[in-house]
Amino acid sequence: GNSVTQMEGPVTLSEEAFLTINCTYTATGYPSLFWYVQYPGEGLQLLLKATKADDKGSNKGFEATYRKETTSFHLEKGSVQVSDSAVYFCALASGGSYIPTFGRGTSLIVHP
Amino acid sequence: ETGVTQTPRHLVMGMTNKKSLKCEQHLGHNAMYWYKQSAKKPLELMFVYSLEERVENNSVPSRFSPECPNSSHLFLHLHTLQPEDSALYLCASSQVLLGRGTDEKLFFGSGTQLSVL
């Protein structure tokens, strides 16, 4: 079946530091890959997505590249801000069901 | 504001109580979902409705009973819950059932934080 593995959190960074949150997946066929973000007290919001190999999704300074050879979709940002503090979820959708399978979420804490 | 509203935001109930969670979307979407979010676990899909018909039920205990009276409203009726059911319950919607349109995107509500004593 489909599954998503994310790095354990929390990830704690200082403002303007470089961010990487690792995500690897197992799926049948050719999945679409997503990153969702959950700010404190809110529901999840789609941050970015990629639908085929070598695609790069980007939004709000965040990027992730669909790597089929390593089955990965790592999230990166060059310079984080305090306002980026949130929980980040990697997800995939594939096969007969396009309902996303989510990872456990990685909490990011950015200090001033 | 995502256009998906959940009430109540917080709920505390005893194991013998009966309560209901409500979700309303103002986006004109045709598919709605219930997810369970527990600490340090992946989001668990519970139920999926498309055009008011249930299309998926992921082995959820019968003490959780969904209802979708129309495409804008989704309920989760709760009875005789267990303490391990304490979690954040998230409602989501999408324009059509994911995979059948061009926009594969879920819109989530802020959730109901449920505590079962």
Side-chain angles (χ1 to χ4, degrees), chain A residues 25-110:
Chain A
Y25 67 88
T26 303
T28 54
Y30 298 96
S32 294
L33 302 174
F34 310 84
W35 278 100
Y36 278 79
V37 59
Q38 184 180 32
Y39 296 104
E42 299 183 13
L44 282 71
Q45 305 172 29
L46 180 65
L47 180 61
L48 54 83
K49 69 176 185 181
T51 57
K52 59 182 188 296
D54 300 324
D55 267 3
K56 178 184 285 187
S58 61
N59 185 23
K60 299 181 181 180
F62 291 90
E63 293 183 340
T65 302
Y66 189 141
R67 300 288 188 201
K68 186 172 182 294
E69 64 276 12
T70 55
T71 61
S72 65
F73 192 55
H74 304 321
L75 182 68
E76 297 181 336
K77 186 174 185 182
S79 175
V80 293
Q81 305 300 311
V82 172
S83 57
D84 293 326
S85 298
V87 181
Y88 293 81
F89 291 86
C90 186
L92 69 84
S94 77
S97 169
Y98 280 80
I99 298 166
T101 297
F102 287 88
R104 297 185 178 196
T106 301
S107 175
L108 170 66
I109 301 169
V110 181

Side-chain angles (χ1 to χ4, degrees), chain A residues 4 8-9 32-34 36 38 40-46 49 51 87 89 93 96-105, chain B residues 2 9 33 35 37-38 40-43 45 48 55-56 88 90 97-100 102-111:
Chain A
V4 174
E8 290 277 338
S32 294
L33 302 174
F34 310 84
Y36 278 79
Q38 184 180 32
E42 299 183 13
L44 282 71
Q45 305 172 29
L46 180 65
K49 69 176 185 181
T51 57
V87 181
F89 291 86
S97 169
Y98 280 80
I99 298 166
T101 297
F102 287 88
R104 297 185 178 196
Chain B
T2 63
R9 289 297 301 270
Y33 311 76
Y35 278 90
Q37 184 179 10
S38 304
K40 300 188 179 181
K41 286 186 177 181
L43 257 67
L45 179 66
V48 181
V55 297
E56 189 149 336
L88 181 68
L90 291 167
L97 198 61
L98 295 182
R100 298 184 186 177
T102 57
D103 187 10
E104 297 176 359
K105 181 176 177 180
L106 290 173
F107 292 75
F108 282 85
S110 300

Side-chain angles (χ1 to χ4, degrees), chain B residues 49-77:
Chain B
Y49 278 83
S50 176
L51 296 171
E52 300 137 52
E53 288 191 18
R54 190 189 306 180
V55 297
E56 189 149 336
N57 173 1
N58 280 0
S59 302
V60 179
S62 59
R63 57 186 183 268
F64 295 91
S65 174
E67 180 190 2
C68 188
N70 55 62
S71 59
S72 298
H73 293 86
L74 184 65
F75 295 89
L76 187 62
H77 303 299

Side-chain angles (χ1 to χ4, degrees), chain B residues 17-50:
Chain B
N17 291 158
K18 290 185 180 181
K19 297 285 184 183
S20 295
L21 310 185
K22 180 181 176 182
C23 176
E24 184 174 2
Q25 56 95 1
H26 309 278
L27 302 167
H29 289 172
N30 289 324
M32 296 186 78
Y33 311 76
W34 278 117
Y35 278 90
K36 177 183 179 183
Q37 184 179 10
S38 304
K40 300 188 179 181
K41 286 186 177 181
L43 257 67
E44 300 173 48
L45 179 66
M46 300 176 72
F47 301 104
V48 181
Y49 278 83
S50 176

